[in-house]
Amino acid sequence: MKSQNYDCFSLKKSGMLKKVLTCLVLFVSIVGFSQVKKTANLHTGEIEYNSLDIIITVDSLEELEGEFDANDIEELFDEIEGFKMISFKLICNAVENSREHKNSMSIKIENTKDDKDYFIKRIQKLKKVGVNYYNNKD
């Protein structure tokens, strides 16, 4: 009588290789196909803009005078129909020779888009304040 030696690590002789591979393929397919695809419910309606912030930073009086005028602001108002609130901020930096003295001034105005003429007048006054700042900074 011939005795058979079974190796406990050999899967071929005991038929376990087929069972292990089947379980492994089954496990991988279940895990792979059970992932839920999330569909985004995107609303493709109108986009609503709330506010527009315009910030202008200048370092000298020459930059301030050449930066904006009334015609530019009028054109800007014609292009920004979707915004409800508009803010305009002017930052005037005073460039000094010494590193210790850094002066700056900033003014911000906010308004709704409905009153276009009033807002343009306020922006022109803002420009005058900036000109006065550079003229009287000494």
Side-chain angles (χ1 to χ4, degrees):
M1 191 158 116
K2 221 178 191 186
S3 69
Q4 286 185 326
N5 291 332
Y6 289 104
D7 186 8
C8 63
F9 296 110
S10 175
L11 297 175
K12 286 184 181 180
K13 296 199 181 217
S14 64
M16 289 294 291
L17 181 62
K18 185 177 180 181
K19 291 179 185 176
V20 169
L21 286 177
T22 304
C23 289
L24 184 63
V25 168
L26 183 64
F27 176 73
V28 169
S29 64
I30 288 173
V31 170
F33 288 113
S34 67
Q35 300 296 322
V36 178
K37 291 183 181 179
K38 293 182 180 179
T39 57
N41 294 331
L42 297 177
H43 179 66
T44 57
E46 258 183 59
I47 296 174
E48 185 176 309
Y49 300 103
N50 289 326
S51 65
L52 174 68
D53 296 328
I54 302 168
I55 300 172
I56 294 180
T57 304
V58 293
D59 293 327
S60 67
L61 180 61
E62 292 81 22
E63 284 183 27
L64 178 63
E65 290 174 346
E67 192 63 39
F68 59 92
D69 61 355
N71 292 334
D72 293 339
I73 298 168
E74 296 254 351
E75 289 177 15
L76 180 68
F77 264 92
D78 294 337
E79 294 177 12
I80 55 172
E81 295 178 7
F83 294 98
K84 294 179 182 177
M85 290 293 295
I86 301 171
S87 71
F88 190 89
K89 184 174 184 179
L90 177 65
I91 301 172
C92 296
N93 295 323
V95 178
E96 300 287 334
N97 289 336
S98 74
R99 293 183 180 177
E100 297 172 6
H101 294 87
K102 294 183 180 179
N103 296 328
S104 67
M105 175 199 70
S106 66
I107 301 174
K108 181 177 181 179
I109 55 174
E110 295 179 330
N111 202 6
T112 60
K113 194 185 94 97
D114 299 332
D115 199 1
K116 174 182 171 181
D117 295 329
Y118 178 69
F119 193 67
I120 290 174
K121 287 178 186 177
R122 289 179 69 193
I123 291 174
Q124 290 171 346
K125 286 182 183 179
L126 191 70
K127 184 177 179 180
K128 288 179 185 176
V129 169
V131 169
N132 287 336
Y133 170 74
Y134 281 115
N135 288 334
N136 299 320
K137 72 176 182 175
D138 293 330

